[in-house]
Amino acid sequence: SANVSCLTITNASFSGDVENSGTISPGGISLSNGTITGRITDYGTVAATGGRAGISVDNSSVISSTSVAILLSGSTFTGGVSNVGTIFGGVSGIDVYGVDTFTGGIVNSSGGTIEVGASGSGAGIKIGTGTLSSVSRPVTSFSGGITNAGTISSGYTGIAVLAASSFAGGIVNSNGGTIVAGTSGSGAGIRVGAISTCGCYAVSQFSGGVANSGTISSGYSGIAVEGVTIFSGGVTNAGTITGGTGSTVAGIKIGVVTTSGSYSVSKFSGGVTNSGTISAMPNSPTIRGDPVIRFACTSSATSAACAPSEATVRLAKTARKPGESRSADRSGRSAEGIMVCPSASDRRYQALLPGR
């Protein structure tokens, strides 16, 4: 380990990793017109000041790794990450975990590309990590948010904030930004929080909301907020969100209830606003215990989901022997089996019983 003012790679192409376990300040790590077949790793301190980026990749540069292209796991990282080039990771593009303080956010600018293979745990940009049974290696404090104006393509999740005590600045997929996510597991275009059988909320506090004015396409859900204690800033869509097909998919999903337990959002503020297009194709429940609260939205309602004019009622006791007189035990009206739905015309709850 050592202390250096900056680390600059210019007009160079090589195979191998760039690793920092010391201190880089007041500059950061910059890649200009270069190619790294390997990854950039920080286990130390990067403290960029004066408007400098902690890590910057220009539009003539490429980072290509079989695992994680940029891995940040030191105690302090300031100045954020800026990409206008091409980042490819077999597992993740940019992975931040175990960091006490991260400032400056992450920006994938117009013209920038982050591409990730079809790993079961990978993401274009991932903050914190964990397992199905526990939350591990969270980020204590992350500020500056995440913005995408370029292209993020991942076999699993596009942008994921999985484990953080405090995340500020929100997530923005801006006009011209594209996120394409795959079908693996519970991957999503944008995910905040994580589903864990330990029952713990992986993200304690998330502020700044999630906003999309670009394009999000996912084989699972477009935007998913699950496993968060406090979420503020709401979810806004002014672009296009396309979810996948299945019993648990949605264009936008806030919280989730599964047959193995409840994983939800303790407090959500800011609402959900859509002025764009949202679509997904959730399957209808087929067996007892299938999730029911799943939805796909368009910009306006086109039909009523359930609007019968009358209901078919199965009486609890209807059998009466020939010639037997009517009695309370053998005839009468029973509420068993009544289906009550709002009428398409007046929206009032009503049911029409036989003989009513």
Side-chain angles (χ1 to χ4, degrees), residues 103-170:
T103 65
I106 297 174
V107 177
N108 185 46
S109 299
S110 177
T113 298
I114 300 175
E115 183 179 352
V116 180
S119 169
S121 62
I125 300 172
K126 184 170 68 170
I127 310 301
T129 188
T131 67
L132 285 176
S133 59
S134 66
V135 175
S136 62
R137 298 183 291 183
V139 174
T140 304
S141 175
F142 185 105
S143 64
I146 298 171
T147 300
N148 175 56
T151 300
I152 297 176
S153 176
S154 171
Y156 186 60
T157 296
I159 298 173
V161 178
L162 297 182
S165 298
S166 174
F167 183 99

Side-chain angles (χ1 to χ4, degrees), residues 12-297:
S13 179
F14 63 90
S15 296
D17 296 342
V18 176
E19 182 175 314
N20 171 54
S21 56
T23 298
I24 300 176
S25 183
I29 301 171
S30 64
L31 178 62
S32 177
N33 192 32
T35 299
I36 298 175
T37 305
R39 69 182 186 180
I40 295 177
T41 305
D42 171 49
Y43 295 118
T45 297
V46 174
T49 61
R52 303 176 183 90
I55 293 178
S56 63
V57 181
D58 79 351
N59 60 0
S60 300
S61 296
V62 177
I63 301 173
S64 181
S65 171
T66 57
S67 56
V68 179
I70 297 177
L71 174 61
L72 308 178
S73 191
S75 60
T76 302
F77 189 97
T78 64
V81 178
S82 173
N83 176 57
V84 197
T86 299
I87 296 173
F88 175 81
V91 175
S92 288
I94 300 172
D95 203 338
V96 182
Y97 65 80
V99 178
D100 293 329
T101 303
F102 186 106
T103 65
I106 297 174
V107 177
N108 185 46
S109 299
S110 177
T113 298
I114 300 175
E115 183 179 352
V116 180
S119 169
S121 62
I125 300 172
K126 184 170 68 170
I127 310 301
T129 188
T131 67
L132 285 176
S133 59
S134 66
V135 175
S136 62
R137 298 183 291 183
V139 174
T140 304
S141 175
F142 185 105
S143 64
I146 298 171
T147 300
N148 175 56
T151 300
I152 297 176
S153 176
S154 171
Y156 186 60
T157 296
I159 298 173
V161 178
L162 297 182
S165 298
S166 174
F167 183 99
I171 300 173
V172 176
N173 185 47
S174 63
N175 187 19
T178 300
I179 298 174
V180 179
T183 59
S184 176
S186 56
I190 296 175
R191 169 178 292 283
V192 178
I195 299 174
S196 298
T197 54
C198 64
C200 41
Y201 293 150
V203 177
S204 298
Q205 185 166 348
F206 182 99
S207 63
V210 176
N212 173 56
S213 56
T215 301
I216 298 175
S217 177
S218 172
Y220 179 64
S221 292
I223 297 174
V225 179
E226 302 169 349
V228 182
T229 304
I230 299 174
F231 182 100
S232 63
V235 177
T236 302
N237 176 55
T240 300
I241 299 174
T242 304
T245 301
S247 61
T248 60
V249 305
I252 296 175
K253 181 163 65 171
I254 311 298
V256 59
V257 179
T258 71
T259 55
S260 61
S262 176
Y263 308 94
S264 191
V265 179
S266 181
K267 183 177 180 180
F268 181 95
S269 64
V272 177
T273 303
N274 176 48
S275 60
T277 301
I278 305 173
S279 63
M281 297 185 67
N283 292 338
S284 300
T286 57
I287 59 173
R288 184 181 182 87
D290 268 3
V292 174
I293 306 175
R294 299 287 184 265
F295 54 87
C297 303

